[in-house]
Amino acid sequence: MLCRVVILHKIESSRWRTHSIGYSGSRMKKQFFTHTGLLASLTLVCLPLKAAEVNGIKLDNGALIYHSVYVGSGYEQNLALTNDNEINSAYWQVTPSLTALLTPGNSTHEFSALIDVAQYAQSDADNYEDYSFNYEGAWEPTTRHRANWSVSQQYGHQKRGSQQNRFLLDRFDEVMQFEQTNAEASYEFGSKVAIGRVGIKGGANRLEYTNFEDFTNQFNFSSQSLGGWFYYRVGKVTNLSFDVGYQSTDYSDEPDPTQSRNSEVYRFLAGMVWEGLAKTTGKFKLGVEQRKFELASREDLTNLAIDAAITWEPKTYSIVNLTLSRRTMEGALGSDATLTTKVTLDWGHSWTEYSYSRMGYEYASREEQGIISREDNTLYLYANFNRYLNKWLLFETTVSYLVNSSSNTLFDYDNQKLSIGLRVEI
């Protein structure tokens, strides 16, 4: 059984880029990092790919080192997400990655680094070089105590034509670049089979743009979060859940304090969590989210909050994931915040022990709050096929389609992409 980490990077209202790293094991987890303009999700998918099980270097102390390099090319239509004068271009891409996994005693430590470089033949302004460094740890000394923590540092970019630089392409001769630091930690007390479990978590996040400072300083922010949960078992695999959360966001570099978007967000959710089923696990939580702004001139927001997800594994070689979420996010240029409702569905299937595929669908509705009242609806589809040519060489191809429709027709656009490449896994 190969557990493969599929790394999906997405610029909001843009496209997904898919990379993967893998190692043998049985863990399955999902972690999300979110900020204005970028959504990156790491999903561990376990598929029976026997050809890859021998990859990786196992040291004498039990540590597993895994390295891969992806080299590919493709063609993308409407690079800058405009509704006229589209830029279409072929491109090439190189993505090396390195992962180290250590499991001493009752703890797990995972270190990873990834570099993503792309060059476009028809548009040098859209070239980018992204770097990501991550560390995740877990400790479970007994069945009643468990702790998790993570630290990540990203040097990424924001796609031209998205978010803040939507109509300002003539001002930018390169993509907007940012640095983001994220740290999270959580602790839970109570056995998984106990009648009750309680947990607490905290985190800190910092986003800073590193070029075009005269324009981008207004979007730099830092945030701190604190939350907790309580699970009450009402059946063999069913728990009632109660979640609370708090987040404080500070735009400390805002050049005009009278326009500050500093805010505090409170979330209260109640629902059910299903664990331990042979084929299905999931959660469904409903509640209220309230965003209070520091400036009296900005109207406070109170909205329905949703956090739902289902994972269905009808066969050991096939996995279906469905998610539904609703919450406010940091706003785009000129808006107080963005109320985002999102539905995602993806299916991963291993056709043989040497080939597997992924197909996905996403629908997102974004409502800008405040003076700007624009509403955008985005549909995104992708299909990916991978086949091992031998135990260390993987063929990958992905095709994607995205269309954005808006109450302001100037924000209507579509984007298509085809990529083909080879990944060397050592």
Side-chain angles (χ1 to χ4, degrees), residues 75-131:
Y75 188 81
E76 185 173 357
Q77 291 184 303
N78 198 10
L79 290 176
L81 308 179
T82 59
N83 59 355
D84 59 6
N85 300 320
E86 293 184 0
I87 302 173
N88 305 322
S89 177
Y91 69 92
W92 64 265
Q93 182 178 11
V94 177
T95 308
S97 66
L98 178 67
T99 297
L101 179 67
L102 298 86
T103 56
N106 298 317
S107 63
T108 301
H109 306 275
E110 182 180 309
F111 303 85
S112 62
L114 183 143
I115 302 174
D116 184 17
V117 178
Q119 300 282 320
Y120 289 89
Q122 305 299 324
S123 180
D124 290 342
D126 292 288
N127 297 341
Y128 64 83
E129 298 179 5
D130 292 350
Y131 305 86

Side-chain angles (χ1 to χ4, degrees), residues 337-352:
T338 305
L339 177 59
T340 302
T341 303
K342 185 176 296 183
V343 179
T344 66
L345 175 66
D346 71 82
W347 172 45
H349 185 83
S350 179
W351 299 99
T352 70

Side-chain angles (χ1 to χ4, degrees), residues 254-371:
E254 168 60 60
D256 184 0
T258 64
Q259 301 297 317
S260 173
R261 287 183 288 159
N262 293 352
S263 66
E264 295 182 330
V265 177
Y266 303 85
R267 282 168 60 91
F268 306 90
L269 295 167
M272 304 190 76
V273 176
W274 296 271
E275 300 174 316
L277 289 175
K279 295 184 178 181
T280 305
T281 59
K283 61 181 178 180
F284 186 80
K285 304 177 183 181
L286 290 176
V288 176
E289 179 185 84
Q290 185 177 53
R291 181 179 288 258
K292 294 185 176 182
F293 292 97
E294 183 179 277
L295 289 183
S297 58
R298 294 189 186 274
E299 183 178 354
D300 295 342
L301 304 172
T302 302
N303 303 288
L304 171 69
I306 303 175
D307 181 15
I310 295 177
T311 297
W312 178 46
E313 191 174 355
K315 302 291 184 180
T316 57
Y317 49 82
S318 191
I319 299 177
V320 178
N321 293 292
L322 173 65
T323 67
L324 170 63
S325 65
R326 192 173 194 263
R327 62 175 302 171
T328 59
M329 303 176 66
E330 299 307 305
L333 180 63
S335 68
D336 295 348
T338 305
L339 177 59
T340 302
T341 303
K342 185 176 296 183
V343 179
T344 66
L345 175 66
D346 71 82
W347 172 45
H349 185 83
S350 179
W351 299 99
T352 70
E353 58 187 16
Y354 303 108
S355 62
Y356 65 97
S357 65
R358 292 183 63 86
M359 299 178 64
Y361 162 89
E362 177 183 305
Y363 172 80
S365 173
R366 298 192 239 316
E367 302 175 38
E368 302 296 343
Q369 309 293 301
I371 298 176

